[in-house]
Amino acid sequence: ARPYTAARNAWSLSIISNAYVKRMKIGIVGSGTMGAGIAQVAAQAGHEVFLYDAQPQAGQQALARIDQGLQKEVEKGRSSPTAVMATLQRIAWVDHLEKFRPCDWVIEAIVEDLVIKKELFSRLEKVVSPSCLLATNTSSLSVSSIAASCEKPQRVLGMHFFNPVPLMQLVELVPAVQTDEQWLDWVKEELKRW
């Protein structure tokens, strides 16, 4: 399938259904450059974000980088201290994947290793609800192979954010062979609000 590319903030919907207005709980696995950037844009879009990394010190460093980047936006006049504080308050560091249980959406941004990603998705599926969307930020691995590690592969898709995430208004959506078309349509609409 061809990837769909959605420019974030390219246009706004005049009428948005309640499904798209909902403030979600979004889990981010991996707090490196990409994970931290995804966490920031999700929080700026008004969502509650749970950030996890297998290395706790990486999570604290990510929170500091997010804060630093947001402060630069204030210095440049593109944001306010109030908006920065609100964004930071929507990001919580969590120390266990089990804390993702209430999440509506989980985005993985870890090392580009197919075996590790498949193991992670299999673990995540045992934690989150059956209605939780599972996304991978992979830029080079098979999304269909990752989805095959799940009992419900239809809820898995690729969401390749471009670096630096807060500045690049582009997300490449790559459905797995198994991805349900309704999930893809929903994600396209949701990302337009980010």
Side-chain angles (χ1 to χ4, degrees):
R2 294 186 96 155
Y4 171 82
T5 304
R8 290 195 317 265
N9 298 324
W11 58 280
S12 60
L13 297 171
S14 57
I15 299 173
I16 301 175
S17 75
N18 289 336
Y20 299 126
V21 173
K22 179 183 176 200
R23 297 296 178 217
M24 292 178 286
K25 293 181 181 187
I26 299 178
I28 309 293
V29 182
S31 63
T33 301
M34 296 306 290
I38 296 166
Q40 179 181 327
V41 298
Q44 285 177 305
H47 302 297
E48 186 177 349
V49 176
F50 299 89
L51 183 60
Y52 170 82
D53 197 292
Q55 299 178 357
Q57 71 278 12
Q60 297 307 316
Q61 292 167 353
L63 293 172
R65 280 195 318 275
I66 292 168
D67 184 25
Q68 188 176 46
L70 291 170
Q71 296 303 330
K72 287 181 184 176
E73 294 299 303
V74 172
E75 292 169 12
K76 294 176 181 179
R78 294 192 288 229
S79 190
S80 69
T82 304
V84 166
M85 183 62 67
T87 297
L88 291 172
Q89 288 176 342
R90 285 190 288 271
I91 303 172
W93 169 253
V94 297
D95 56 359
H96 296 289
L97 288 176
E98 288 74 26
K99 303 267 175 93
F100 284 3
R101 191 167 308 283
C103 288
D104 302 295
W105 192 344
V106 175
I107 304 169
E108 163 276 314
I110 63 172
V111 64
E112 289 288 281
D113 182 308
L114 184 60
V115 172
I116 293 172
K117 287 182 188 286
K118 289 173 82 168
E119 288 172 2
L120 172 66
F121 274 72
S122 181
R123 285 179 59 202
L124 284 170
E125 196 171 41
K126 290 173 179 62
V127 172
V128 299
S129 74
S131 63
C132 179
L133 174 69
L134 299 175
T136 176
N137 186 55
T138 188
S139 59
S140 61
L141 299 175
S142 167
V143 177
S144 296
S145 292
I146 294 169
S149 68
C150 294
E151 290 179 23
K152 294 182 182 263
Q154 65 273 16
R155 65 172 167 171
V156 177
L157 79 133
M159 289 179 53
H160 178 225
F161 289 81
F162 289 76
N163 190 29
V165 177
L167 301 179
M168 296 295 289
Q169 300 289 304
L170 193 64
V171 178
E172 180 182 36
L173 297 181
V174 183
V177 170
Q178 308 95 315
T179 303
D180 185 318
E181 197 68 30
Q182 290 180 340
W183 279 116
L184 189 60
D185 293 341
W186 180 83
V187 170
K188 287 177 190 177
E189 292 304 314
E190 179 56 36
L191 288 176
K192 291 173 185 174
R193 298 181 345 97
W194 287 27

